[in-house]
């Protein structure tokens, strides 16, 4: 049941690979939404300038915004573009699920193997590799996550257009000249439009990480003859929150899902295997090399500790 140097190496590789996958989603989604805004901005800008030109007493009113046919048509175009982007976002995220699930499941099996006796002793014979795990169970993870992704991305366009309409009416407040008002309204709409990318990125990261955790749990269950539970392993850096620092090293039951950290969390699930003696081996088992959380935190400088805990909690600590 000892965490080895190979265990820590595999955990670091999994973190890097997961970050590369989610960063790729982020780049693609930001690029897509920025290009989408370029497609619709001209029509909206023209509609707003039309409002400015027709402003009475130098002021655009809420009534003008609500009654503008040209503005309504521009918002309809925006709605269609946002719907297209949301659909493409769902396809993009779901398209990488097989890779993400296989990566997590394969790594989890390797993490188990890294804690068993050496291959020549026979420890490898106890391991169920990822390619021998129940295919139907793997497929169920992918299908369930795909459904959740599409259900989450589908309302993005309607929600964004609804907020844009509200922001347009709010944008008339301020008493500045009509052209300034139109520019402010355009900026608000752009912020809301491109905010769709932020929401899509959140969905991508949440659902991808959840699917990977489900795959890791499936691998652990397939190896229940040697795996008794799992250990919460935090990355233990300045970017790691106090709660995750506190969870590092905690041991959980085999059936318990997790680790449930943050949307952008970097915590990992490391399998806990039976001792070599319990598995029937008489050779000595090496000690665990899992870094101790409190000792690692205590070794940080005061600035890093304060950044993690915050001022009041740092003083209390």
């Amino acid at each position: 049941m000892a965490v080895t140097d190979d265990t820590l190496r595999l955990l670091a590789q999994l973190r890097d690979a997961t970050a590369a996958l989610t960063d790729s989603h982020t780049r693609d989604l930001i690029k897509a939404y920025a290009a989408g805004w370029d497609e619709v901005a001209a029509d909206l800008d023209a509609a707003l300038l039309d409002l400015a030109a027709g402003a009475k007493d130098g002021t655009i009113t809420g009534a003008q915004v609500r009654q503008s046919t040209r503005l309504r048509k521009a918002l309809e175009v925006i709605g269609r573009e946002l719907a297209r982007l949301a659909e493409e976002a769902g396809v993009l995220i779901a398209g990488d699920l097989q890779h993400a699930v296989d990566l997590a499941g394969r790594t989890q099996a390797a993490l188990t193997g890294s804690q068993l006796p050496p291959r020549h002793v026979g420890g490898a014979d106890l391991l169920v590799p990822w390619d021998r795990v129940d295919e139907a169970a793997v497929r169920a993870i992918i299908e369930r996550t795909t459904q959740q992704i599409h259900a989450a991305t589908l309302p993005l366009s309607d929600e964004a257009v609804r907020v844009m309409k509200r922001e347009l009416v709010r944008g008339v407040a301020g008493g500045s000249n009509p052209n300034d008002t139109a520019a402010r309204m355009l900026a608000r709409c752009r912020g809301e439009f491109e905010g769709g990318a932020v929401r899509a990125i959140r969905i991508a990261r949440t659902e991808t990480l959840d699917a990977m955790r489900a795959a890791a749990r499936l691998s652990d269950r397939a190896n229940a003859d040697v795996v008794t539970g799992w250990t919460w392993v935090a990355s233990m850096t300045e970017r790691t929150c106090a709660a995750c620092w506190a969870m590092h090293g905690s041991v959980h039951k085999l059936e318990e899902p997790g680790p449930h950290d943050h949307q952008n969390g970097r915590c990992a699930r490391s399998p806990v295997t039976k001792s070599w003696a319990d598995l029937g081996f008489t050779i000595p088992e090496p000690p665990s090399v899992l870094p101790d959380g409190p000792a690692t935190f205590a070794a940080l400088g005061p600035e890093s500790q304060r950044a993690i805990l915050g001022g009041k909690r740092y003083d209390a600590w």
Side-chain angles (χ1 to χ4, degrees):
M1 59 185 295
V3 170
T4 66
D5 289 332
D6 276 346
T7 309
L8 298 181
R9 176 182 56 81
L10 288 164
L11 286 170
Q13 289 178 347
L14 178 62
R15 284 195 186 101
D16 290 344
T18 303
L21 179 60
T22 56
D23 287 350
S24 174
H25 285 159
T26 298
R27 287 192 300 272
D28 290 344
L29 289 168
I30 289 176
K31 183 178 178 180
Y33 274 80
W37 174 254
D38 289 342
E39 289 291 322
V40 300
D43 285 344
L44 180 59
D45 189 29
L48 291 171
L49 290 177
D50 189 44
L51 279 180
K56 296 180 181 179
D57 302 323
T59 303
I60 298 176
T61 67
Q64 284 178 284
V65 171
R66 286 187 287 267
Q67 294 168 8
S68 170
T69 301
R70 191 170 185 180
L71 185 57
R72 185 177 67 253
K73 289 181 178 178
L75 287 173
E76 288 173 355
V77 171
I78 287 174
R80 289 194 293 271
E81 181 65 11
L82 283 168
R84 182 187 68 81
L85 287 167
E87 183 177 357
E88 288 188 359
V91 172
L92 169 70
I93 302 164
D96 285 329
L97 278 179
Q98 183 72 60
H99 168 66
V101 166
D102 285 341
L103 171 65
R106 189 167 55 247
T107 301
Q108 196 71 7
L111 288 168
T112 301
S114 72
Q115 299 179 56
L116 297 177
R119 182 174 295 275
H120 68 274
V121 178
D125 296 336
L126 302 172
L127 180 66
V128 177
W130 179 246
D131 59 10
R132 283 170 46 199
V133 170
D134 182 6
E135 290 184 14
V138 177
R139 193 163 55 249
I141 292 173
I142 295 172
E143 290 176 354
R144 181 173 63 252
T145 307
T146 299
Q147 291 172 359
Q148 290 170 179
I149 288 169
H150 288 302
T153 55
L154 195 61
L156 287 182
S157 58
D158 291 341
E159 176 187 346
V161 171
R162 187 164 54 251
V163 174
M164 277 186 195
K165 289 178 179 178
R166 185 170 67 243
E167 288 298 316
L168 284 169
V169 174
R170 286 179 57 196
V172 303
S176 56
N177 71 62
N179 289 330
D180 288 344
T181 301
R184 183 171 64 248
M185 293 161 76
L186 184 68
R188 288 190 176 192
C189 283
R190 179 172 186 170
E192 187 56 38
F193 186 99
E194 294 184 345
V198 175
R199 291 185 285 275
I201 289 166
R202 186 182 304 120
I203 292 167
R205 291 182 173 174
T206 300
E207 298 299 341
T208 299
L209 289 175
D210 281 352
M212 294 178 74
R213 292 185 187 111
R217 183 183 177 200
L218 180 60
S219 175
D220 285 347
R221 292 170 65 185
N223 284 289
D225 288 344
V226 294
V227 176
T228 61
W230 58 275
T231 302
W232 186 307
V233 181
S235 58
M236 293 195 297
T237 67
E238 287 186 20
R239 295 171 53 197
T240 307
C241 78
C244 290
W245 272 93
M247 291 302 296
H248 174 80
S250 60
V251 178
H252 304 261
K253 294 180 180 179
L254 178 62
E255 289 299 322
E256 184 179 341
H260 293 311
D261 52 350
H262 311 286
Q263 174 197 329
N264 300 326
R266 303 179 70 220
C267 293
R269 173 189 180 114
S270 180
V272 175
T273 61
K274 294 178 181 178
S275 69
W276 292 6
D278 288 342
L279 291 172
F281 296 92
T282 57
I283 58 176
E285 184 172 3
S288 173
V289 298
L290 181 68
D292 179 74
T296 303
F297 185 82
L300 298 176
E303 290 186 6
S304 297
Q305 293 168 341
R306 185 179 290 276
I308 293 165
L309 293 177
K312 290 184 179 179
R313 283 192 294 185
Y314 174 77
D315 292 339
W317 177 76

